Amino acid sequence: MAPSQPELTKGKKRKRDHGSTTTERVKKGTGKLIRFEAEAEGEGEGKTEDADNKDEAPPENPEQTRDLEPIHQKPGHRHEHSHKSSLHPRRQQRDFPKAHTTLPPHVLKKRDELLPIRKSLPIWPHVKSIRAALRENNVLVLTGETGSGKSTQVPQFLLSEPWCTKTIAITQPRRVAAISLARRVAEEMGSLFGNQSPSAKVGYSVRFDNATGPGTRIKFLTEGMLLQEMLRDPEMSQYSAVVVDEVHERSVNVDLILGFLRNLVAGVDKGRKRKTPLKVVVMSATADVQALVQFFGEGLQTSARDVEVETGDSGAARTKSGKPSIDSPESKPDQSTNSKSSNQPTQGHSQVSTCFVEGRQYPVKTVYLPSPTQDWVETSLKIIFQIHYKEPLPGDILVFLTGQDTIEGLEKLINEYAQGMDADVPKLLALPLFAALPQHAQQRIFTPTPPRTRKVILATNIAETSVTVPGVRYVIDCGKSKIKQFRNRLGLESLLVKPISKSAAIQRKGRAGREAAGQCYRLYTEEGFNTMEERTTPEILRCDLSHAILTMKARGADDVLNFPFLDRPPREALEKALLQLLHLSALEETGAISEQGLKMAKLPLTPTLGRVLVEAARPERDCLLDVVDIISALSVENIFLNLVTEERKEEAEAARRELYRREGDHMTLLVTVQRYEEERSDRKAWCEKHFVSHRAMQNVMNVKKQLLQQCSQLKLLTSTDKADSSPSEAKTQAILACILRGFISNTARLMPDGSYKTLMGNQTVSIHPSSVLFGRKTEAIVFSEFVFTGKAWARGVSAVQLDWVSEVIEAIM
DNA sequence: GAGCACTGC
């Protein structure tokens, strides 16, 4: 039962990553960071802290970090940079606030407190080489492991550079990260934050929340936000540099950003050349340096060849021989920055620099199972109690499982077994953690552990990247996760339990070594580990590409088959998506983006939902406001609460009956949103009464507001349409026609045997039990979601007439 | 005839 202890580490004294004197500092620093991450999870975002000093401007001191003694210069003694101002009129134009006043004392104090922590970060000694690298070249690939400090320090290092006259953008995959990093950097710089004051130098931009001002020089934003900006301002004229962080996570958005940036720095975008070059820093945790360097290096070389052809410049000819630097960082651990352009001084800016920064991590011992198991719940249970009896407190346990059901199963078992423990054994506190859990329940992992208690956090993938659980010294990893996979042929998504990659396993293990030395129990054998894929398949290789391609077309990247992909999706997947966009009339027959397609690309919606919206704005449909309500409800998590017990389910059914519509789920959503809005006194109580999620409804209202704004910007909101509180028959038909136009590939007809078969593809589908049409028979259905979980399910279903469907199909084929 | 990893605009 007990997993074997690995012989390698047994009895051997574990070596720390650093000496004992620095350990204290490190611990202090780590602790701060974790508290700060935990705060960011909460509401309010601490915006009040500096609020009473709104008018006080911190000193502008661009030189401050240059000599590694940034903060020790007295405020007010700032350097004058008249030469810089005359060289860069843009800076004057932006009128970045100047420091005529002293800093608020508490802001100063905080800044000075943080300085020693900053200085102890592994990235701090690299400041000179990072700056030199970007003076020499326009692209830097920086590899920094967890805890290196790259996300907070790199933008600060670059701010004082002569080329940096505008703003630095730094992207994050998640909202919380963008917001909390911005707050941290503001504190470190002794600046106010966000839009507290026009002089605030650090800000962030995430959906529904833009906290930037005229003085913003460092701007943290989500990847999606940057992409939207890139559609509106193709040259990225407000930025001197773009830092792309967490590239190793390889979201579709990051892949698009990298492709666009490569074209931009290489100047291959037709007619798009910036006056001053854009500096690009690509930051990644794992050592994918070679692929990234090659990716940008090839682009630069192509452009250098173009220059040669155009100008006949003999100097440029030499670029051809200048290969991009492809040294792996591990091979040169003592040489922090590599650049191959030094031997070709005439060829500045045509190469890619690399930099490797070591991480900060305590050692973690790995323990494998002697033989494979299928029963993770049972095995986890044994290991949890084995750790609990054997290892001293403190030291919480983090268990990685695949989903809600296994988590709840294990939680129940732990609680049962824990009751049988002797009174002298410390208590065990099992805490589930998954995204669908209400916010307050998720917050429980951040509350201090009660005395003589060990926390056991039972988590999904959410704890791998999104949430940092404090206090963990033991990790149990089942080696699997649920992965979404798009099937091109069927056009449906499936969620499958699959083995994780080696890099994910290493990431999970690392969660045990954030605060002290730890242990990682892998519920698989060492051989099992060795057979795992090296890295997780990037999302772009396993998702529906229609949205990505629409974005590319909207940005003028017309030749999608030759787009610079870091990983090129199979031709079949690209063609499938192009065809889908053609059917949606987002593209012309020639493949060029249509006027309609451009509007769809600018909406924060999938192409299908975007198409529904655009259709609703047409005069003959004239139902935009109702459709916006439906789309808003479809854009958020399920607005109807999931009930567990049979009794509560029946209660909910009865309470919701007045909302249900026989036309299907879409009209039911419309009525629910309308009734919620009609409720003027207590919407929260209304939600509780109808078993509707209040949080989800608040999100619906946010999305609705944003969509209406964008509709008016895109000149879609010009109709005479009025939302009726009870849509007429004709209105209902118009609404369903719009839904059909977007989801024509998601239609099915009733077969004589009572099953449904899709009209395009002849696939059997079933109406999902969550639908109001579950168990009903109607001649045809249209559905907004098509998922495979053991069986093909249609979710978000409306009843339609077969001849409506045929009409649309004939029109587009 | 019964289900849902995680982000994000």
Side-chain angles (χ1 to χ4, degrees):
Chain A
M1 63 158 265
S4 63
Q5 308 291 321
E7 295 304 313
L8 277 171
T9 43
K10 206 190 260 178
K12 206 160 107 189
K13 200 164 186 245
R14 283 188 214 115
K15 225 169 81 185
R16 295 245 157 166
D17 288 6
H18 27 63
S20 56
T21 45
T22 51
T23 309
E24 275 317 297
R25 262 195 298 176
V26 169
K27 275 185 179 164
K28 200 174 150 206
T30 319
K32 275 232 188 285
L33 208 67
I34 280 168
R35 269 202 299 283
F36 137 82
E37 284 178 2
E39 279 164 25
E41 298 289 327
E43 288 177 26
E45 305 298 348
K47 277 178 186 170
T48 51
E49 196 189 331
D50 299 322
D52 32 345
N53 290 294
K54 268 194 163 82
D55 303 325
E56 307 268 324
E60 165 89 13
N61 192 349
E63 287 293 317
Q64 61 179 203
T65 44
R66 186 161 289 170
D67 45 19
L68 302 190
E69 288 295 323
I71 315 294
H72 282 173
Q73 290 172 5
K74 283 183 194 145
H77 274 234
R78 74 187 190 93
H79 299 193
E80 287 303 323
H81 292 284
S82 48
H83 64 286
K84 206 178 274 182
S85 303
S86 57
L87 277 174
H88 301 284
R90 178 82 192 184
R91 168 165 276 180
Q92 289 178 318
Q93 190 191 322
R94 282 290 294 273
D95 196 21
F96 288 117
K98 296 189 176 78
H100 296 303
T101 50
T102 48
L103 277 172
H106 69 276
V107 172
L108 260 179
K109 187 165 166 273
K110 183 83 188 178
R111 185 191 71 179
D112 291 343
E113 275 171 19
L114 292 174
L115 182 63
I117 297 163
R118 292 181 61 198
K119 283 183 166 179
S120 73
L121 289 168
I123 198 161
W124 191 265
H126 297 267
V127 59
K128 278 188 179 149
S129 53
I130 288 171
R131 285 173 174 161
L134 279 169
R135 284 186 191 183
E136 196 171 0
N137 293 314
N138 290 333
V139 183
L140 167 67
V141 175
L142 191 149
T143 316
E145 293 168 355
T146 315
S148 63
K150 60 184 187 326
S151 311
T152 52
Q153 304 310 304
V154 167
Q156 296 186 68
F157 291 168
L158 303 185
L159 198 56
S160 58
E161 287 294 280
W163 51 262
C164 191
T165 56
K166 302 177 206 166
T167 305
I168 298 174
I170 170 162
T171 68
Q172 293 295 319
R174 282 166 290 279
R175 297 164 55 97
V176 270
I179 296 169
S180 57
L181 284 167
R183 189 163 74 233
R184 173 71 174 201
V185 169
E187 283 178 353
E188 290 185 358
M189 289 175 62
S191 164
L192 295 180
F193 165 62
N195 42 14
Q196 290 167 342
S197 147
S199 69
K201 284 185 284 195
V202 186
Y204 67 85
S205 174
V206 300
R207 191 182 187 184
F208 307 130
D209 192 3
N210 181 356
T212 57
T216 303
R217 304 275 333 266
I218 295 179
K219 177 164 155 190
F220 285 88
L221 30 58
T222 44
E223 292 158 355
M225 272 322 250
L226 188 74
L227 270 181
Q228 284 292 314
E229 286 188 4
M230 287 174 107
L231 292 187
R232 289 173 170 82
D233 175 16
E235 283 88 15
M236 312 195 74
S237 51
Q238 59 164 315
Y239 299 113
S240 289
V242 177
V243 184
V244 191
D245 201 3
E246 312 283 13
V247 165
H248 59 276
E249 291 191 22
R250 293 296 304 277
S251 62
V252 173
N253 282 346
V254 119
D255 281 18
L256 289 180
I257 288 173
L258 291 178
F260 292 153
L261 286 177
R262 193 187 100 145
N263 284 347
L264 198 59
V265 295
V268 302
D269 287 9
K270 277 165 279 164
R272 274 183 203 154
K273 264 209 155 165
R274 289 167 50 107
K275 291 193 191 85
T276 54
L278 181 74
K279 302 285 181 180
V280 173
V281 183
V282 178
M283 307 207 292
S284 177
T286 47
D288 262 340
V289 197
Q290 187 162 339
L292 288 165
V293 169
Q294 213 153 6
F295 179 74
F296 279 99
E298 278 166 11
L300 290 167
Q301 297 214 323
T302 310
S303 84
R305 270 195 296 276
D306 289 350
V307 169
E308 179 198 0
V309 171
E310 283 165 19
T311 65
D313 183 319
S314 60
R318 280 199 295 267
T319 355
K320 281 195 276 191
S321 57
K323 289 251 161 39
S325 151
I326 50 167
D327 295 284
S328 111
E330 290 90 340
S331 67
K332 291 191 179 178
D334 49 350
Q335 191 184 338
S336 72
T337 312
N338 295 325
S339 168
K340 282 292 171 66
S341 61
S342 52
N343 56 345
Q344 293 182 352
T346 55
Q347 291 310 311
H349 310 302
S350 66
Q351 305 291 327
V352 179
S353 301
T354 59
C355 175
F356 173 74
V357 183
E358 64 283 12
R360 173 167 294 159
Q361 178 81 12
Y362 293 88
V364 178
K365 186 173 87 170
T366 310
V367 184
Y368 290 101
L369 287 189
S371 60
T373 178
Q374 293 299 314
D375 197 343
W376 317 308
V377 171
E378 179 75 15
T379 318
S380 302
L381 189 69
K382 284 177 187 163
I383 296 173
I384 289 165
F385 280 91
Q386 182 190 315
I387 294 169
H388 188 52
Y389 277 96
K390 209 173 72 185
E391 305 288 347
L393 290 174
D396 296 336
I397 304 170
L398 173 59
V399 190
F400 282 101
L401 295 166
T402 52
Q404 185 173 347
D405 50 343
T406 45
I407 286 173
E408 286 170 347
L410 182 56
E411 182 190 7
K412 205 166 146 249
L413 284 172
I414 292 171
N415 289 335
E416 274 172 25
Y417 279 75
Q419 286 191 333
M421 291 192 303
D422 289 342
D424 59 333
V425 180
K427 292 194 180 71
L428 268 179
L429 178 63
L431 298 174
L433 178 66
F434 46 89
L437 208 62
Q439 203 64 28
H440 65 90
Q442 285 189 28
Q443 291 299 313
R444 288 175 68 202
I445 63 162
F446 297 113
T447 58
T449 314
R452 290 193 71 249
T453 304
R454 192 193 301 273
K455 281 189 211 168
V456 187
I457 293 105
L458 312 173
T460 60
N461 263 356
I462 194 172
E464 208 175 286
T465 48
S466 308
V467 178
T468 301
V469 186
V472 172
R473 294 193 189 180
Y474 307 95
V475 161
I476 299 173
D477 168 21
C478 74
K480 309 268 180 196
S481 70
K482 284 190 183 171
I483 300 224
K484 189 167 73 184
Q485 192 91 40
F486 184 73
R487 303 190 190 178
N488 288 308
R489 279 230 316 277
L490 306 175
L492 60 69
E493 288 174 342
S494 53
L495 206 56
L496 303 167
V497 175
K498 288 197 141 181
I500 60 172
S501 65
K502 278 182 193 160
S503 66
I506 292 163
Q507 174 79 14
R508 288 180 174 188
K509 170 183 159 182
R511 291 295 181 179
R514 295 293 293 260
E515 294 174 35
Q519 295 174 22
C520 176
Y521 293 82
R522 290 180 166 157
L523 304 186
Y524 39 96
T525 62
E526 188 159 10
E527 206 213 324
F529 175 79
N530 290 333
T531 56
M532 285 173 171
E533 301 280 336
E534 283 304 319
R535 53 192 198 116
T536 311
T537 308
E539 194 187 358
I540 201 153
L541 298 183
R542 51 185 171 83
C543 76
D544 175 11
L545 292 172
S546 53
H547 188 68
I549 288 177
L550 187 61
T551 309
M552 285 157 49
K553 293 269 185 185
R555 210 177 173 277
D558 275 320
D559 186 4
V560 297
L561 295 177
N562 287 309
F563 184 79
F565 287 106
L566 207 42
D567 282 281
R568 184 167 303 282
R571 198 187 171 90
E572 189 196 358
L574 292 167
E575 282 169 353
K576 171 88 191 176
L578 284 167
L579 193 65
Q580 154 93 326
L581 290 172
L582 190 67
H583 286 165
L584 291 173
S585 321
L587 302 180
E588 313 277 2
E589 289 288 338
T590 59
I593 192 163
S594 66
E595 204 180 312
Q596 222 167 44
L598 204 55
K599 288 179 178 169
M600 287 159 61
K602 289 180 178 172
L603 291 165
L605 298 169
T606 58
T608 40
L609 282 176
R611 186 62 183 85
V612 175
L613 193 82
V614 168
E615 183 72 16
R618 291 175 61 186
E620 63 265 42
R621 303 293 185 204
D622 203 26
C623 53
L624 185 67
L625 296 179
D626 289 320
V627 164
V628 164
D629 282 350
I630 295 171
I631 289 177
S632 303
L634 287 173
S635 301
V636 306
E637 73 268 30
N638 200 358
I639 65 170
F640 293 115
L641 290 171
N642 262 335
L643 287 317
V644 190
T645 62
E646 232 16 76
E647 197 190 349
R648 295 272 290 166
K649 271 180 196 169
E650 275 169 31
E651 231 180 294
E653 284 295 307
R656 289 172 186 160
R657 197 149 296 146
E658 57 177 288
L659 304 173
Y660 288 169
R661 286 295 170 275
R662 62 184 167 79
E663 294 90 349
D665 297 316
H666 302 110
M667 294 308 290
T668 299
L669 289 175
L670 174 60
V671 169
T672 308
V673 173
Q674 288 177 340
R675 294 289 176 275
Y676 174 86
E677 281 197 296
E678 283 161 15
E679 174 62 45
R680 296 285 168 191
S681 52
D682 191 346
R683 287 182 174 172
K684 197 159 185 245
W686 184 91
C687 285
E688 277 161 21
K689 190 179 157 211
H690 293 89
F691 296 85
V692 164
S693 160
H694 186 233
R695 198 164 69 114
M697 288 308 293
Q698 288 172 310
N699 285 336
V700 172
M701 293 299 117
N702 276 333
V703 177
K704 175 175 175 171
K705 193 175 145 201
Q706 190 190 29
L707 285 179
L708 288 176
Q709 262 169 16
Q710 283 165 335
C711 282
S712 87
Q713 273 169 23
L714 295 171
K715 309 257 184 292
L716 292 170
L717 199 62
T718 50
S719 74
T720 54
D721 175 45
K722 270 203 203 90
D724 314 302
S725 82
S726 288
S728 64
E729 182 91 5
K731 190 64 151 290
T732 302
Q733 199 170 325
I735 292 168
L736 292 180
C738 296
I739 293 171
L740 262 178
R741 187 59 190 82
F743 289 98
I744 194 63
S745 47
N746 283 5
T747 48
R749 64 189 296 181
L750 187 64
M751 305 308 283
D753 65 357
S755 71
Y756 289 93
K757 272 203 157 59
T758 57
L759 279 123
M760 297 165 84
N762 211 29
Q763 247 263 198
T764 305
V765 289
S766 308
I767 297 177
H768 194 272
S770 65
S771 170
V772 299
L773 293 184
F774 177 62
R776 290 257 312 273
K777 305 256 183 281
T778 165
E779 67 176 46
I781 52 171
V782 58
F783 41 97
S784 42
E785 222 182 317
F786 191 19
V787 289
F788 190 93
T789 46
K791 166 174 189 183
W793 295 107
R795 302 185 62 211
V797 188
S798 280
V800 288
Q801 288 173 26
L802 198 53
D803 51 336
W804 301 353
V805 184
S806 315
E807 242 170 71
V808 179
I809 291 181
E810 275 161 31
I812 64 170
M813 284 307 174

